[in-house]
Amino acid sequence: MNSTDLSRLRIDRTAPSAGPKKPRRRWLRLLVIAAIAIAAAAYAASRFAAPPVVETVMVVNVYPSLNFTLLNATGYVVPQRKAALSSKATGRLEWLGVLEGSRVKTNEVIARLESRDVRAALEQATAQVGVAQANLEQGMAELRDAEANARRSGELLARKFISAAQHDADLARLGKATASIAALKAAIAAAEANRRVAEVAVEQTLIRAPFDGIVLTKNANVGDNITPFSSAADSKGAVVTIADMETLEVEADVSESNIVRIKPGQPCEIQLDALPDRRLAGEVSRTVPTVDRSKATVLVKVRFVDRDPRVLPEMSAKVAFLSRAVAADETKP
C-alpha cells in the first residue's frame, strides 16, 4: 500500500464542530415539567372546587277550593253497612259459593254446612204430619158414621123399635168421635210445629246474604268446622265479610277545638291517596257525640256526593271542610 492510500485513513481534526447540544435538551425538559405541573394544578383545582349551586322548585296544583276551606282532616273510607256472616248452627263447611270481590244479593245462599242429620229430622217430621193428617181423616170418617148412626137411632127410638139404652150408646159414640177430632187436630198442629222446627234447623245450615253487597274477605274454606262463636279449637266463626259499597263514607278525626266549625250537611271535598288527581264532593253526614280522650278529637262522618267505583274500604282520605259548595267551574286546578 502506498503513502497516498494511508493518508486517506487519517482523521481530519481541522473540520468545523457541530456545537454543544446540551442547552437545547435542558429547555425541552423544562417545558415538559412545566406542562405536567400546569396539568396537575388544573386537575387539583377541578377536583377540590366547590360544586355548582342548583336551585330546585316544587310545582304543585292549586285548587280554587283552598280559598274557602275552613279546616282539613284525615281519615279512612269505611262502609256504613258491613257484616261478618256466620252460621247459627255448628258443623263442617260443605259448600262455599263466593270469593273475594263477589257480588251477592239479599237472601242469596253463599255457603252451606253439612245438613244430612237435620234434613233427615225434617223428613221424619214431615212424615209425622202426614200420619196425623191420615188419623184425622180416619177420625172424620168415624164421626160421620157416628152421626148417621145416632140419627137413625133417634128415628128408631121414636118408633119404639130400639130401647132407650141403645140410643144412649149411639149418642155416647157420637160424643167420643167428636172429641177425638179435636185431639187429632191438635196432633196435626204438634206435628206441623215439629216440622217447622226441623225446617229452621235446616235453614240454619245455610248462610245467606242479609243485603246486597260485595265480599271483602273470605275467612273459611270448605272442610273447616264452623261454630257460632268460634269457641272450639280449630274452628272458624265468620265465613265471609261483606259490605254494602253504596254506603261508603269517610270517618275523619277533627280536633275538639275545631268541632264548632262543623255542622251536618256542610259541603266537603274528599281527596283519596289512591286517586290523587281527583277530588270528590261530599258533605257532613253526622258527628259522633263523644270525644276521644286520648287524641282530643271528635269522629266526623262524611258521605260521598260524587261516587267512584274505584273507591274501596280502608282507603286513606283527606277531607277539606268548606264554607260553601264547589262550583262547576272550580273543580280544575
Side-chain angles (χ1 to χ4, degrees):
M1 182 179 297
N2 54 27
S3 60
T4 302
D5 295 332
L6 292 175
S7 63
R8 294 176 180 176
L9 298 176
R10 289 187 303 173
I11 300 174
D12 188 2
R13 300 186 183 278
T14 62
S17 176
K21 298 181 179 180
K22 292 183 179 179
R24 181 182 297 177
R25 293 177 179 175
R26 185 180 304 164
W27 281 107
L28 290 175
R29 284 196 293 269
L30 290 175
L31 289 175
V32 172
I33 292 173
I36 294 175
I38 293 173
Y43 174 75
S46 64
R47 183 175 181 181
F48 296 103
V53 178
V54 179
E55 295 184 1
T56 61
V57 178
M58 180 178 294
V59 179
V60 297
N61 290 329
V62 178
Y63 285 82
S65 60
L66 294 176
N67 296 325
F68 45 91
T69 297
L70 299 179
L71 61 96
N72 295 288
T74 59
Y76 296 92
V77 178
V78 296
Q80 183 181 356
R81 298 179 67 187
K82 181 180 178 181
L85 305 185
S86 182
S87 170
K88 191 175 180 180
T90 301
R92 189 173 68 88
L93 187 61
E94 183 180 56
W95 175 77
L96 181 61
V98 295
L99 297 172
E100 294 89 344
S102 299
R103 292 185 176 273
V104 296
K105 297 293 184 181
T106 304
N107 290 327
E108 178 183 353
V109 177
I110 62 176
R112 182 176 64 245
L113 304 184
E114 285 186 344
S115 58
R116 288 190 294 269
D117 53 346
V118 292
R119 289 188 181 277
L122 175 60
E123 294 174 358
Q124 182 179 8
T126 303
Q128 290 176 351
V129 172
V131 171
Q133 291 176 345
N135 291 335
L136 178 60
E137 293 295 332
Q138 182 179 0
M140 292 297 294
E142 179 68 21
L143 176 61
R144 289 191 295 269
D145 182 66
E147 290 175 345
N149 191 32
R151 188 170 53 254
R152 289 192 301 268
S153 178
E155 295 175 354
L156 294 174
L157 179 63
R159 297 179 181 181
K160 306 298 183 178
F161 289 161
I162 60 173
S163 62
Q166 181 64 36
H167 180 64
D168 293 339
D170 294 336
L171 292 178
R173 178 188 172 193
L174 176 60
K176 184 178 179 181
T178 303
S180 67
I181 294 300
L184 292 174
K185 288 182 178 180
I188 291 177
E192 289 179 345
N194 291 334
R195 182 176 63 181
R196 287 193 295 271
V197 170
E199 289 175 348
V200 170
V202 172
E203 181 64 26
Q204 289 177 354
T205 63
L206 304 177
I207 300 177
R208 298 179 181 271
F211 50 80
D212 295 351
I214 295 179
V215 177
L216 300 182
T217 59
K218 181 171 71 72
N219 305 319
N221 296 307
V222 174
D224 288 340
N225 292 321
I226 306 299
T227 60
F229 304 103
S230 187
S231 58
D234 296 330
S235 63
K236 301 293 179 66
V239 177
V240 296
T241 301
I242 68 171
D244 185 358
M245 293 302 186
E246 298 298 324
T247 64
L248 290 180
E249 58 188 11
V250 177
E251 291 184 350
D253 290 325
V254 177
S255 174
E256 61 177 323
S257 60
N258 294 323
I259 196 63
V260 294
R261 309 164 89 179
I262 305 299
K263 60 182 180 180
Q266 181 176 357
C268 303
E269 195 172 52
I270 304 170
Q271 182 181 7
L272 303 174
D273 292 346
L275 306 173
D277 297 331
R278 184 169 186 196
R279 299 197 172 200
L280 303 174
E283 66 177 17
V284 176
S285 173
R286 60 198 180 279
T287 300
V288 177
T290 184
V291 178
D292 189 334
R293 184 185 302 177
S294 62
K295 297 187 295 184
T297 58
V298 178
L299 189 62
V300 178
K301 299 194 176 185
V302 179
R303 71 176 187 88
F304 286 91
V305 175
D306 295 337
R307 295 193 176 274
D308 194 310
R310 296 173 294 178
V311 178
L312 299 175
E314 304 305 326
M315 281 185 173
S316 57
K318 300 180 181 66
V319 181
F321 297 92
L322 310 177
S323 59
R324 64 174 178 84
V326 179
D329 57 348
E330 296 175 335
T331 58
K332 295 182 179 181

